Amino acid sequence: MRNLFKRILLFISVFCINGLLYANPSLEKKPKLYAIVIGIGEYTKANFSSKIAKNDANTIYQKLKAQVGYTYTEGNIKLLNQPEQTSHTSIQQAFEDVKSKIKHTDTFVIFIAGEADRVDEEYYLLTSKTQDFSAKQLQSTGLSATQLKKLIANIPTAYKLILIDTPMSDSVMKMTDLFSTHNIKTCKSGMILTAGRYTIDEGFRGHSLFTYTLLDALSGIADTNKNSFIESNELAQYVEAAIPMIAKHDFNRRQTPYIDKCGDNLQFKKIQ
């Protein structure tokens, strides 16, 4: 009789715990969100700057922080927007910090806003140490596409979202480049979304056109299946449609974003 009573109590306890977890999704085990948000707006020894890049990074950082709760727990969401944080060395260190902590089931997001150019068709992101657009400066102080691909590929997770808001960012990398290391060779959910080769410098409503459409999509307008989440394919579809339309209507120019993806969709909650 006593053993039967204990079994009944155990059954009730398990039932109550399962019911609590089902009723409150926040208690379920959730993946962590790791992100590096880079806004390179100050080039200390150059005669140019980009206030829009810093503002874009700040806003994206806040939107990613707001994702923590229902879908993700916070791993580490890092904002790099000061000159001492946006040198070649500091950016590499930020990747190393994530690499040492992230698990293969966690999600990694990288957002980059700033200036870029190409040398012999090789993409280079200008860092805060870059003084001008000469090939010598880009190659000595910039961050090349080859280096970026290696940094991202070495992040040991199968869930990656890459957002690059710079000129010359079409075909910078492909998803196959980012899941080819000994750590992670399988893409569970991956997407590269960039501003494209030719971007509109003037900005649009306080942001670059690319970042503006990202923020617009995350506000909920891109939720075409009405499931209260913005899925990565919905994000890409909205950006792909909105950028050329706004570029043509408001600037009478062309801008075409670049998209590559693999696996299933990542999900982000709508943030106004």
Side-chain angles (χ1 to χ4, degrees):
M1 189 71 178
R2 183 176 296 174
N3 287 338
L4 177 62
F5 182 69
K6 287 181 179 179
R7 289 177 182 176
I8 292 171
L9 283 178
L10 179 61
F11 176 80
I12 292 172
S13 299
V14 171
F15 178 81
C16 289
I17 291 171
N18 286 339
L20 183 61
L21 288 173
Y22 182 80
N24 188 353
S26 64
L27 295 178
E28 295 177 356
K29 186 176 181 180
K30 294 172 288 195
K32 291 182 178 180
L33 177 62
Y34 288 82
I36 301 173
V37 182
I38 302 171
I40 309 176
E42 297 178 59
Y43 302 87
T44 52
K45 295 185 178 181
N47 60 358
F48 53 84
S49 63
S50 177
K51 293 180 180 179
I52 290 178
K54 291 188 69 173
N55 187 42
D56 287 347
N58 289 338
T59 309
I60 292 293
Y61 171 76
Q62 295 300 330
K63 299 300 182 186
L64 289 175
K65 292 281 285 186
Q67 295 296 324
V68 174
Y70 192 85
T71 307
Y72 300 101
T73 57
E74 183 170 359
N76 188 16
I77 302 173
K78 192 171 185 64
L79 175 65
L80 309 178
N81 67 348
Q82 301 300 318
E84 64 274 13
Q85 298 173 320
T86 52
S87 67
H88 191 291
T89 302
S90 296
I91 292 171
Q92 286 183 313
Q93 185 58 56
F95 275 92
E96 287 298 319
D97 291 343
V98 172
K99 180 183 173 182
S100 67
K101 299 170 185 174
I102 197 169
K103 301 285 193 298
H104 73 279
T105 55
D106 294 330
T107 296
F108 175 67
V109 178
I110 173 73
F111 173 86
I112 301 172
E115 295 289 346
D117 207 341
R118 293 188 181 231
V119 178
D120 297 327
E121 284 305 304
E122 171 83 350
Y123 171 96
Y124 283 87
L125 173 70
L126 277 67
T127 71
S128 57
K129 298 290 187 180
T130 307
Q131 299 179 28
D132 55 51
F133 285 85
S134 67
K136 181 179 179 180
Q137 274 291 303
L138 293 175
Q139 291 171 334
S140 63
T141 65
L143 200 59
S144 71
T146 300
Q147 292 167 323
L148 271 174
K149 285 185 285 189
K150 184 176 180 180
L151 289 171
I152 298 170
N154 283 335
I155 299 295
T157 177
Y159 303 84
K160 298 176 182 178
L161 175 63
I162 294 85
L163 305 170
I164 303 178
D165 190 359
T166 74
M168 303 294 153
S169 58
D170 62 312
S171 305
V172 169
M173 59 189 77
K174 297 180 180 179
M175 294 311 308
T176 51
D177 299 324
L178 309 183
F179 296 95
S180 57
T181 68
H182 64 281
N183 292 321
I184 297 292
K185 292 187 178 181
T186 302
C187 169
K188 297 292 186 182
S189 298
M191 177 170 285
I192 299 167
L193 184 55
T194 82
R197 177 162 292 227
Y198 303 111
T199 59
I200 294 170
D201 297 332
E202 295 92 318
F204 184 73
R205 299 181 182 177
H207 295 284
S208 74
L209 181 52
F210 178 78
T211 296
Y212 174 84
T213 58
L214 286 180
L215 297 172
D216 209 22
L218 290 171
S219 72
I221 194 170
D223 183 20
T224 55
N225 63 8
K226 306 302 179 185
N227 68 347
S228 299
F229 289 95
I230 306 303
E231 298 173 352
S232 50
N233 69 325
E234 293 175 323
L235 184 70
Q237 287 167 6
Y238 182 80
V239 170
E240 185 179 31
I243 284 181
M245 182 179 66
I246 297 172
K248 178 65 176 175
H249 181 271
D250 289 78
F251 300 95
N252 196 29
R253 287 164 61 187
R254 293 181 62 186
Q255 182 173 336
T256 305
Y258 169 81
I259 302 166
D260 192 20
K261 56 186 177 181
C262 60
D264 297 326
N265 285 309
L266 294 167
Q267 286 189 329
F268 299 91
K269 68 178 181 178
K270 297 187 289 188
I271 303 293
Q272 293 292 334

